[in-house]
């Protein structure tokens, strides 16, 4: 299954930050899970633990934190 996570909605899209560290960009569709992109920004931080803090979205950046590390991902319209 999908597991646990937190959803944010912006610009008609959903960002799902799962507790296992995976982040998904999802196009809302009542019929199916339409994943546009996925990432694991904490893949190199094996000791950091799960994502438990609520993510924040501000100024085109997605802020995520595990027990050890805070990351800021460029997710705005100018991100590549």
């Amino acid at each position: 299954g999908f597991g646990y996570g937190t959803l944010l909605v912006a610009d008609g899209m959903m960002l799902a930050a799962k507790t296992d560290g995976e982040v998904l960009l999802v196009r809302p569709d009542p019929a199916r899970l339409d994943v546009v992109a996925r990432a694991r920004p904490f893949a190199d931080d094996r000791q950091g633990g799960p994502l438990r803090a609520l993510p924040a979205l501000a100024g085109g950046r997605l802020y995520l934190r595990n027990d050890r590390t805070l990351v800021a991902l460029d997710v705005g319209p100018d991100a590549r």
Side-chain angles (χ1 to χ4, degrees):
F2 186 83
Y4 296 99
T6 302
L7 297 176
L8 295 172
V9 177
D11 294 331
M13 300 292 276
M14 292 189 308
L15 285 163
K18 296 173 56 179
T19 56
D20 71 358
E22 185 176 29
V23 178
L24 303 149
L25 179 62
V26 178
R27 182 176 292 111
D29 184 334
R32 65 187 181 96
L33 180 63
D34 186 8
V35 177
V36 175
R38 61 180 68 222
R40 287 194 171 274
F42 297 103
D44 293 335
D45 186 6
R46 305 246 187 257
Q47 302 299 317
L51 295 180
R52 295 185 199 247
L54 295 174
L57 185 61
R61 289 192 177 95
L62 176 65
Y63 295 90
L64 300 166
R65 182 179 65 82
N66 65 13
D67 291 339
R68 294 172 18 132
T69 307
L70 172 69
V71 296
L73 306 174
D74 288 322
V75 296
D78 297 331
R80 294 180 193 208

